[in-house]
Structure formats: C-alpha cells, structure tokens
Amino acid sequence: MNELTLQNVTKKYGQKTALDGCSLIFKTGINALLGPNGSGKTTMMNIIADLIPANSGSVLWNGTSIAKLGAEYRGILGFMPQNVNLYKRFSAADNLRYFGKLKGLSTSQVEEDIPRLLEKVNLSDCVNKKFGSFSGGMKQRLGIAVTIMNKPKLVIFDEPTAGLDPKERMRFRDILRELSEDAVVILSTHIVSDVEMLADNIILLKEGKVCESGTAEELQEKYTPEASSDRTVLETVYMNFFGEG
C-alpha cells in the first residue's frame, strides 16, 4: 500500500491564496478531487507532480519528502495535465518512443509496449498518424497512453475525459480500475458521474481549502439523505455543498 501525504500545503500567487494549509492522505486506489473552478485542484496536482513549489508545507511519498527523492520520485510518477501537448509532427508511436526515453524505459521495452498501449486507448489504427492531425478526443487518449507507459505508482489526471465520447469514457474507467489496483490515482474532473462509481475517496475543495473527504456514501449521508430523481447521489451532494454556481 503506497501513500502520498500533503502536510499543511499553502500556495500563493501574489495576494491570491490558491491553496490554504491543505493536509491530505492519498492511498492506493482512486482519489477524486472535486470542486468549482478556482478551487485549487490544478494547483494541488501541479505541486504533487513537483512542477511548481509550495510556499510552505510538505509533500511526502511513503513518508519521505519528494524533494529528497528527486529522480526516484519522477520515476514512479505519471502526470497528465489538463491540456495535452505532445509533439505535433511526431506520430503516435514516435511520441511514445520519445516520452518512453524521457521516462528511462529501454528501447526494447517501449517497442514492446507501443501496440499494447495504443490498443488500450483505442488508437491501434493511428500508430503512424501525426499527433497534429488528431481530434481533441484522440489527443486525450494518446495523452493517457503516455501517462501510464512507465507503469507509475502515482498517477495524476487533470480533466482526462475532456473531449472523450461516452464509449471512450467507459474505456478510461476500465484503465483507472486497472491502475488503482496497485497505484495511487488522483483524478480531477468536472464530470461528477465519472467518479461516483469508481472513487475510493472523494475530496471536496473550495477556495483553496479541503472542505470534506470520504466515500460517495459517506458524503451523501452527511450532506443529503436522498438523491434527486434527475441527479446521481454525488451530483446531489455536489450541488448541495457548492450550490448551483
């Protein structure tokens, strides 16, 4: 069982506080971050991914600061940002080769993994197609393949289902289930129904603060006794907690 811990993490941009003393424990399984725009979700994920520094507080992987782990930490990390930016002139396979090398994978391992990864994200027929010609959904799917290619123990997805049709969202759920068997998965999405059936832990963020966390059932019991007829349980909790806005 792996564990990522945030200890009193604060991040400010000038006078604006993006994260305000956040303390959390993410364990093996699917951990969903939910909150309105500006709640601090992306800032939190960027700090966890070691892309930006916190002003104060610590991030620990299995009890050790990620700053001390350095390259070892990056070796177990997979991060997919909200905007997938791969090389437009590279084919799907060439993007996987390039990022596989950056992740320290052997050439033979990458060549073996390319067909498996592209099949997993339903891009087998696009192996030699240039990334620049991809649709938005196809770009997201290749981004998912790049993110998971090093079999990471910590996986972060920022709005990964944007642009995916319902069938591909279901395929992505299967990928999440598989990953969560032995990895800490952190997922941010505006599609509340995507996490209701999957998340082992749901964290509610508002104005840079952790307001609540727990399973969908625990949040439902605390914030609303019954789901409305036209919303799922978690959608009802979300609306009751954050309001219509």
Side-chain angles (χ1 to χ4, degrees):
M1 175 74 72
N2 290 305
E3 189 172 282
L4 181 86
T5 305
L6 270 62
Q7 295 180 336
N8 200 32
V9 171
T10 295
K11 178 64 179 178
K12 295 184 178 182
Y13 298 100
Q15 298 299 313
K16 177 178 173 56
T17 301
L19 289 179
D20 189 2
C22 292
S23 295
L24 282 169
I25 296 177
F26 300 95
K27 296 184 177 182
T28 298
I30 300 174
N31 304 265
L33 295 174
L34 291 179
N37 289 333
S39 60
K41 303 187 299 297
T42 294
T43 296
M44 180 179 288
M45 286 184 286
N46 283 334
I47 289 173
I48 292 171
D50 202 23
L51 294 177
I52 60 173
N55 292 102
S56 61
S58 303
V59 180
L60 311 176
W61 175 253
N62 292 331
T64 302
S65 167
I66 65 171
K68 290 183 179 180
L69 289 172
E72 180 184 347
Y73 179 69
R74 290 185 288 276
I76 59 95
L77 175 67
F79 177 53
M80 179 176 165
Q82 188 169 350
N83 297 311
V84 176
N85 267 326
L86 304 182
Y87 287 94
K88 295 180 179 180
R89 295 183 181 180
F90 282 12
S91 67
D94 284 341
N95 267 295
L96 288 170
R97 291 186 182 104
Y98 178 78
F99 285 98
K101 190 174 292 289
L102 289 182
K103 291 171 183 282
L105 303 177
S106 68
T107 299
S108 59
Q109 184 64 62
V110 171
E111 293 303 321
E112 181 180 331
D113 284 349
I114 285 173
R116 176 183 61 82
L117 289 164
L118 292 180
E119 180 180 7
K120 191 178 287 289
V121 297
N122 195 26
L123 289 174
S124 294
D125 58 346
C126 300
V127 60
N128 294 315
K129 190 172 182 178
K130 297 290 191 292
F131 180 75
S133 67
F134 280 14
S135 67
M138 292 167 67
K139 289 178 179 178
Q140 291 294 107
R141 283 146 55 194
L142 187 59
I144 292 167
V146 168
T147 301
I148 66 175
M149 68 184 303
N150 60 325
K151 299 179 181 177
K153 295 299 181 183
L154 171 61
V155 199
I156 307 168
F157 292 107
D158 190 358
E159 299 290 345
T161 57
L164 298 187
D165 62 34
K167 184 177 180 180
E168 293 303 331
R169 280 166 54 196
M170 290 180 64
R171 188 187 300 273
F172 178 64
R173 290 174 190 172
D174 291 337
I175 292 173
L176 285 180
R177 289 190 183 97
E178 183 179 339
L179 287 170
S180 67
E181 291 178 4
D182 61 358
V184 177
V185 180
I186 301 175
L187 169 71
S188 170
T189 177
H190 283 95
I191 305 174
V192 178
S193 58
D194 275 354
V195 302
E196 183 158 11
M197 295 181 294
L198 292 174
D200 302 292
N201 186 38
I202 299 164
I203 300 101
L204 301 179
L205 293 176
K206 187 176 184 179
E207 296 178 352
K209 295 182 179 181
V210 178
C211 300
E212 194 61 80
S213 65
T215 64
E217 291 77 13
E218 290 169 343
L219 295 175
Q220 177 196 9
E221 183 177 350
K222 186 166 184 178
Y223 288 103
T224 179
E226 296 179 0
S228 66
S229 59
D230 59 341
R231 291 179 183 145
T232 68
V233 169
L234 192 54
E235 285 171 338
T236 303
V237 170
Y238 187 95
M239 300 309 298
N240 285 1
F241 195 87
F242 294 115
E244 294 291 337

